[in-house]
Amino acid sequence: MQKVSQEELEKLRQNLVEDSQMEVNYLVLTVSSCLIATFGLLSNSAAVIIGAMIIAPLMLPLRGLALGALEGDLILFRQSLITVSAGTVVAVLLSWSVGRLVSLPASEFASEILARTQPNLGDLAIAVAAGFISGFAKIRPKIGDAVAGTAISVALMPPLCVIGISLSQASWAASWGAFLLYLTNLLGITLACMLVFIWGGFYLEGSRLGRALGWVLALTGILVIPLFLSFWTLLTQARVQATLKEKLLRETITVGQQVNLIRPIEVNWNKKPPEVYLSVRAKTPVTSKQVSQVEDYLYERLGQKFVLVFQVGQVSEVRSDQKDPATPPTPTQKTTASPAIPTPKGASQPAIKPPPAAPKRQS
């Protein structure tokens, strides 16, 4: 697309200046979306988190940040940066306060929280796609901002809330992972918006454009290294978990024949060595000796130590041609045996001594 006119560029700039103002509406929406997202994360409710994503306003100043960087407009850039920073600080402090009140231990963090503590290259791709939608919706007025707002808030508000929740429980590793995800999404969205603005012809000078893109690309490139390592770790864990399941089901008698898996195998990779949880049904009890033998076998085959945890549910078969077992007496229906009474030889009834006769009354 060719470069737009100065009037169109100024019109877009004025719109982004209005979007980047830190006013009451922005703060109210930030607080509301943060509270909803925080409680949704603590209750592990994806539906509640989606509700917070829809109303989160963090998408508004990011486009101003992108255009301000492209044009070298310090006023727009500074205003957008202040608004984004204020929303970030408010969200972290508010979620930290809620986390302190609820006091959910870090060991009990549910999947919705843990999913946002291990960012990878896939998250960067999502952020870039969301930024593209946001920027494209701004330069094409026929596309509603609600579409872009939903896409952006998916990437920003939940990680901020995870940072606050993790800090409230002194879980530094989880808070760092969530911060890395937030920073990745922030840079990915800004970079995508800048590219869309350039593609749409909304820029002034090539020199400023090159410097702005260079800085954002450099910062994003630095983040690619830990994101790639995390992505590679996830792939490695997935391969090991698939191999682990195959070895357990096909090459061990305990898991392959004597028990039935009722849920997929779960591995806690945060433990050293990793813990493997197997939810099974069994007709006979699983002994600790069997578990130890399977652990030794896995170590020989995979070269890695695993701790197996069997969660066993006993199974009993009942058929129509079987006799029902005798019902034992209930605790309230106790029977007691009477002492044996000797019977004289040849007598048909037990010998019972008659009671003494009552004394006659004297007149």
PDB file of all heavy atoms in Angstrom, residues 19 26 56-64 134 145-153 156 189 193:
ATOM      1  N   ASP A  19      -7.195   7.457  22.640  1.00  0.00           N
ATOM      2  CA  ASP A  19      -7.191   6.102  23.187  1.00  0.00           C
ATOM      3  C   ASP A  19      -6.139   5.923  24.279  1.00  0.00           C
ATOM      4  O   ASP A  19      -6.285   5.061  25.149  1.00  0.00           O
ATOM      5  CB  ASP A  19      -6.924   5.084  22.070  1.00  0.00           C
ATOM      6  CG  ASP A  19      -8.092   4.964  21.110  1.00  0.00           C
ATOM      7  OD1 ASP A  19      -9.202   5.418  21.470  1.00  0.00           O
ATOM      8  OD2 ASP A  19      -7.892   4.421  20.001  1.00  0.00           O
ATOM      9  N   TYR A  26     -10.620   4.173  31.656  1.00  0.00           N
ATOM     10  CA  TYR A  26      -9.503   3.232  31.527  1.00  0.00           C
ATOM     11  C   TYR A  26      -9.191   2.568  32.866  1.00  0.00           C
ATOM     12  O   TYR A  26      -8.998   1.350  32.941  1.00  0.00           O
ATOM     13  CB  TYR A  26      -8.279   3.981  30.999  1.00  0.00           C
ATOM     14  CG  TYR A  26      -7.028   3.139  30.906  1.00  0.00           C
ATOM     15  CD1 TYR A  26      -6.826   2.284  29.832  1.00  0.00           C
ATOM     16  CD2 TYR A  26      -6.057   3.205  31.906  1.00  0.00           C
ATOM     17  CE1 TYR A  26      -5.673   1.512  29.758  1.00  0.00           C
ATOM     18  CE2 TYR A  26      -4.911   2.445  31.830  1.00  0.00           C
ATOM     19  CZ  TYR A  26      -4.724   1.591  30.750  1.00  0.00           C
ATOM     20  OH  TYR A  26      -3.596   0.827  30.680  1.00  0.00           O
ATOM     21  N   ALA A  56     -10.869  -5.951  29.163  1.00  0.00           N
ATOM     22  CA  ALA A  56      -9.560  -5.369  29.495  1.00  0.00           C
ATOM     23  C   ALA A  56      -9.192  -4.269  28.497  1.00  0.00           C
ATOM     24  O   ALA A  56      -9.257  -4.480  27.284  1.00  0.00           O
ATOM     25  CB  ALA A  56      -8.491  -6.461  29.501  1.00  0.00           C
ATOM     26  N   PRO A  57      -8.787  -3.072  28.958  1.00  0.00           N
ATOM     27  CA  PRO A  57      -8.520  -1.940  28.055  1.00  0.00           C
ATOM     28  C   PRO A  57      -7.054  -1.769  27.686  1.00  0.00           C
ATOM     29  O   PRO A  57      -6.672  -0.741  27.133  1.00  0.00           O
ATOM     30  CB  PRO A  57      -9.000  -0.752  28.884  1.00  0.00           C
ATOM     31  CG  PRO A  57      -8.620  -1.136  30.285  1.00  0.00           C
ATOM     32  CD  PRO A  57      -8.765  -2.651  30.367  1.00  0.00           C
ATOM     33  N   LEU A  58      -6.210  -2.738  28.004  1.00  0.00           N
ATOM     34  CA  LEU A  58      -4.777  -2.556  27.782  1.00  0.00           C
ATOM     35  C   LEU A  58      -4.416  -2.441  26.311  1.00  0.00           C
ATOM     36  O   LEU A  58      -3.308  -1.997  25.977  1.00  0.00           O
ATOM     37  CB  LEU A  58      -4.002  -3.722  28.420  1.00  0.00           C
ATOM     38  CG  LEU A  58      -4.078  -3.796  29.948  1.00  0.00           C
ATOM     39  CD1 LEU A  58      -3.414  -5.057  30.453  1.00  0.00           C
ATOM     40  CD2 LEU A  58      -3.434  -2.576  30.573  1.00  0.00           C
ATOM     41  N   MET A  59      -5.318  -2.826  25.413  1.00  0.00           N
ATOM     42  CA  MET A  59      -5.038  -2.703  23.992  1.00  0.00           C
ATOM     43  C   MET A  59      -5.028  -1.252  23.518  1.00  0.00           C
ATOM     44  O   MET A  59      -4.413  -0.926  22.511  1.00  0.00           O
ATOM     45  CB  MET A  59      -6.062  -3.510  23.186  1.00  0.00           C
ATOM     46  CG  MET A  59      -7.518  -3.232  23.511  1.00  0.00           C
ATOM     47  SD  MET A  59      -8.242  -1.788  22.706  1.00  0.00           S
ATOM     48  CE  MET A  59      -8.081  -2.232  21.007  1.00  0.00           C
ATOM     49  N   LEU A  60      -5.708  -0.377  24.244  1.00  0.00           N
ATOM     50  CA  LEU A  60      -5.877   0.988  23.749  1.00  0.00           C
ATOM     51  C   LEU A  60      -4.557   1.755  23.617  1.00  0.00           C
ATOM     52  O   LEU A  60      -4.295   2.349  22.572  1.00  0.00           O
ATOM     53  CB  LEU A  60      -6.856   1.744  24.653  1.00  0.00           C
ATOM     54  CG  LEU A  60      -8.281   1.177  24.699  1.00  0.00           C
ATOM     55  CD1 LEU A  60      -9.125   1.954  25.698  1.00  0.00           C
ATOM     56  CD2 LEU A  60      -8.916   1.223  23.319  1.00  0.00           C
ATOM     57  N   PRO A  61      -3.701   1.807  24.643  1.00  0.00           N
ATOM     58  CA  PRO A  61      -2.480   2.610  24.497  1.00  0.00           C
ATOM     59  C   PRO A  61      -1.370   1.947  23.693  1.00  0.00           C
ATOM     60  O   PRO A  61      -0.410   2.620  23.303  1.00  0.00           O
ATOM     61  CB  PRO A  61      -2.032   2.826  25.951  1.00  0.00           C
ATOM     62  CG  PRO A  61      -2.578   1.661  26.688  1.00  0.00           C
ATOM     63  CD  PRO A  61      -3.857   1.287  26.017  1.00  0.00           C
ATOM     64  N   LEU A  62      -1.472   0.643  23.428  1.00  0.00           N
ATOM     65  CA  LEU A  62      -0.381  -0.027  22.724  1.00  0.00           C
ATOM     66  C   LEU A  62      -0.239   0.444  21.287  1.00  0.00           C
ATOM     67  O   LEU A  62       0.869   0.574  20.761  1.00  0.00           O
ATOM     68  CB  LEU A  62      -0.590  -1.546  22.758  1.00  0.00           C
ATOM     69  CG  LEU A  62      -0.318  -2.224  24.102  1.00  0.00           C
ATOM     70  CD1 LEU A  62      -0.554  -3.711  23.986  1.00  0.00           C
ATOM     71  CD2 LEU A  62       1.099  -1.938  24.565  1.00  0.00           C
ATOM     72  N   ARG A  63      -1.355   0.718  20.633  1.00  0.00           N
ATOM     73  CA  ARG A  63      -1.279   1.199  19.261  1.00  0.00           C
ATOM     74  C   ARG A  63      -0.683   2.607  19.213  1.00  0.00           C
ATOM     75  O   ARG A  63       0.062   2.955  18.287  1.00  0.00           O
ATOM     76  CB  ARG A  63      -2.663   1.160  18.619  1.00  0.00           C
ATOM     77  CG  ARG A  63      -3.168  -0.255  18.443  1.00  0.00           C
ATOM     78  CD  ARG A  63      -4.570  -0.310  17.888  1.00  0.00           C
ATOM     79  NE  ARG A  63      -5.559   0.277  18.792  1.00  0.00           N
ATOM     80  CZ  ARG A  63      -6.874   0.056  18.685  1.00  0.00           C
ATOM     81  NH1 ARG A  63      -7.333  -0.732  17.725  1.00  0.00           N
ATOM     82  NH2 ARG A  63      -7.724   0.622  19.514  1.00  0.00           N
ATOM     83  N   GLY A  64      -1.001   3.419  20.235  1.00  0.00           N
ATOM     84  CA  GLY A  64      -0.362   4.730  20.313  1.00  0.00           C
ATOM     85  C   GLY A  64       1.123   4.614  20.542  1.00  0.00           C
ATOM     86  O   GLY A  64       1.922   5.407  20.010  1.00  0.00           O
ATOM     87  N   SER A 134      -5.151  -5.964  15.935  1.00  0.00           N
ATOM     88  CA  SER A 134      -5.391  -4.680  16.570  1.00  0.00           C
ATOM     89  C   SER A 134      -5.052  -3.516  15.642  1.00  0.00           C
ATOM     90  O   SER A 134      -5.835  -2.582  15.468  1.00  0.00           O
ATOM     91  CB  SER A 134      -4.569  -4.572  17.853  1.00  0.00           C
ATOM     92  OG  SER A 134      -4.709  -3.309  18.445  1.00  0.00           O
ATOM     93  N   ASP A 145     -13.576  -2.453  16.941  1.00  0.00           N
ATOM     94  CA  ASP A 145     -12.475  -2.526  17.901  1.00  0.00           C
ATOM     95  C   ASP A 145     -12.653  -3.670  18.890  1.00  0.00           C
ATOM     96  O   ASP A 145     -11.700  -4.079  19.549  1.00  0.00           O
ATOM     97  CB  ASP A 145     -12.360  -1.200  18.670  1.00  0.00           C
ATOM     98  CG  ASP A 145     -11.551  -0.173  17.891  1.00  0.00           C
ATOM     99  OD1 ASP A 145     -10.981  -0.558  16.855  1.00  0.00           O
ATOM    100  OD2 ASP A 145     -11.514   0.993  18.317  1.00  0.00           O
ATOM    101  N   ALA A 146     -13.879  -4.179  19.032  1.00  0.00           N
ATOM    102  CA  ALA A 146     -14.095  -5.266  19.986  1.00  0.00           C
ATOM    103  C   ALA A 146     -13.294  -6.501  19.603  1.00  0.00           C
ATOM    104  O   ALA A 146     -12.796  -7.236  20.454  1.00  0.00           O
ATOM    105  CB  ALA A 146     -15.582  -5.608  20.050  1.00  0.00           C
ATOM    106  N   VAL A 147     -13.148  -6.744  18.273  1.00  0.00           N
ATOM    107  CA  VAL A 147     -12.367  -7.892  17.821  1.00  0.00           C
ATOM    108  C   VAL A 147     -10.921  -7.753  18.261  1.00  0.00           C
ATOM    109  O   VAL A 147     -10.320  -8.675  18.823  1.00  0.00           O
ATOM    110  CB  VAL A 147     -12.459  -8.028  16.289  1.00  0.00           C
ATOM    111  CG1 VAL A 147     -11.585  -9.162  15.793  1.00  0.00           C
ATOM    112  CG2 VAL A 147     -13.911  -8.241  15.871  1.00  0.00           C
ATOM    113  N   ALA A 148     -10.351  -6.582  18.028  1.00  0.00           N
ATOM    114  CA  ALA A 148      -8.968  -6.353  18.416  1.00  0.00           C
ATOM    115  C   ALA A 148      -8.813  -6.345  19.926  1.00  0.00           C
ATOM    116  O   ALA A 148      -7.834  -6.859  20.474  1.00  0.00           O
ATOM    117  CB  ALA A 148      -8.477  -5.029  17.829  1.00  0.00           C
ATOM    118  N   GLY A 149      -9.778  -5.756  20.619  1.00  0.00           N
ATOM    119  CA  GLY A 149      -9.679  -5.693  22.075  1.00  0.00           C
ATOM    120  C   GLY A 149      -9.656  -7.073  22.701  1.00  0.00           C
ATOM    121  O   GLY A 149      -8.878  -7.337  23.626  1.00  0.00           O
ATOM    122  N   THR A 150     -10.484  -7.966  22.188  1.00  0.00           N
ATOM    123  CA  THR A 150     -10.490  -9.327  22.722  1.00  0.00           C
ATOM    124  C   THR A 150      -9.155 -10.009  22.482  1.00  0.00           C
ATOM    125  O   THR A 150      -8.591 -10.659  23.368  1.00  0.00           O
ATOM    126  CB  THR A 150     -11.625 -10.139  22.061  1.00  0.00           C
ATOM    127  OG1 THR A 150     -12.864  -9.492  22.307  1.00  0.00           O
ATOM    128  CG2 THR A 150     -11.672 -11.532  22.626  1.00  0.00           C
ATOM    129  N   ALA A 151      -8.611  -9.855  21.268  1.00  0.00           N
ATOM    130  CA  ALA A 151      -7.350 -10.511  20.943  1.00  0.00           C
ATOM    131  C   ALA A 151      -6.207  -9.987  21.800  1.00  0.00           C
ATOM    132  O   ALA A 151      -5.376 -10.756  22.294  1.00  0.00           O
ATOM    133  CB  ALA A 151      -7.027 -10.310  19.459  1.00  0.00           C
ATOM    134  N   ILE A 152      -6.173  -8.661  22.023  1.00  0.00           N
ATOM    135  CA  ILE A 152      -5.087  -8.083  22.800  1.00  0.00           C
ATOM    136  C   ILE A 152      -5.187  -8.480  24.267  1.00  0.00           C
ATOM    137  O   ILE A 152      -4.208  -8.864  24.902  1.00  0.00           O
ATOM    138  CB  ILE A 152      -5.093  -6.545  22.667  1.00  0.00           C
ATOM    139  CG1 ILE A 152      -4.834  -6.155  21.216  1.00  0.00           C
ATOM    140  CG2 ILE A 152      -4.040  -5.919  23.549  1.00  0.00           C
ATOM    141  CD1 ILE A 152      -3.503  -6.569  20.690  1.00  0.00           C
ATOM    142  N   SER A 153      -6.382  -8.359  24.815  1.00  0.00           N
ATOM    143  CA  SER A 153      -6.524  -8.624  26.240  1.00  0.00           C
ATOM    144  C   SER A 153      -6.270 -10.077  26.579  1.00  0.00           C
ATOM    145  O   SER A 153      -5.900 -10.406  27.701  1.00  0.00           O
ATOM    146  CB  SER A 153      -7.933  -8.231  26.708  1.00  0.00           C
ATOM    147  OG  SER A 153      -8.915  -8.916  25.965  1.00  0.00           O
ATOM    148  N   LEU A 156      -2.544 -10.036  27.550  1.00  0.00           N
ATOM    149  CA  LEU A 156      -1.944  -9.136  28.517  1.00  0.00           C
ATOM    150  C   LEU A 156      -2.471  -9.265  29.950  1.00  0.00           C
ATOM    151  O   LEU A 156      -1.679  -9.399  30.879  1.00  0.00           O
ATOM    152  CB  LEU A 156      -2.110  -7.685  28.045  1.00  0.00           C
ATOM    153  CG  LEU A 156      -1.283  -7.300  26.821  1.00  0.00           C
ATOM    154  CD1 LEU A 156      -1.639  -5.899  26.369  1.00  0.00           C
ATOM    155  CD2 LEU A 156       0.195  -7.412  27.121  1.00  0.00           C
ATOM    156  N   ILE A 189       3.021  -7.604  20.317  1.00  0.00           N
ATOM    157  CA  ILE A 189       1.876  -6.801  19.884  1.00  0.00           C
ATOM    158  C   ILE A 189       2.339  -5.461  19.305  1.00  0.00           C
ATOM    159  O   ILE A 189       1.873  -5.022  18.251  1.00  0.00           O
ATOM    160  CB  ILE A 189       0.920  -6.577  21.075  1.00  0.00           C
ATOM    161  CG1 ILE A 189       0.254  -7.893  21.461  1.00  0.00           C
ATOM    162  CG2 ILE A 189      -0.123  -5.521  20.755  1.00  0.00           C
ATOM    163  CD1 ILE A 189      -0.462  -7.849  22.789  1.00  0.00           C
ATOM    164  N   CYS A 193       1.829  -4.165  15.434  1.00  0.00           N
ATOM    165  CA  CYS A 193       1.128  -2.910  15.132  1.00  0.00           C
ATOM    166  C   CYS A 193       1.997  -1.990  14.279  1.00  0.00           C
ATOM    167  O   CYS A 193       1.509  -1.346  13.335  1.00  0.00           O
ATOM    168  CB  CYS A 193       0.734  -2.208  16.422  1.00  0.00           C
ATOM    169  SG  CYS A 193      -0.670  -2.941  17.288  1.00  0.00           S
TER     170      CYS A 193
END
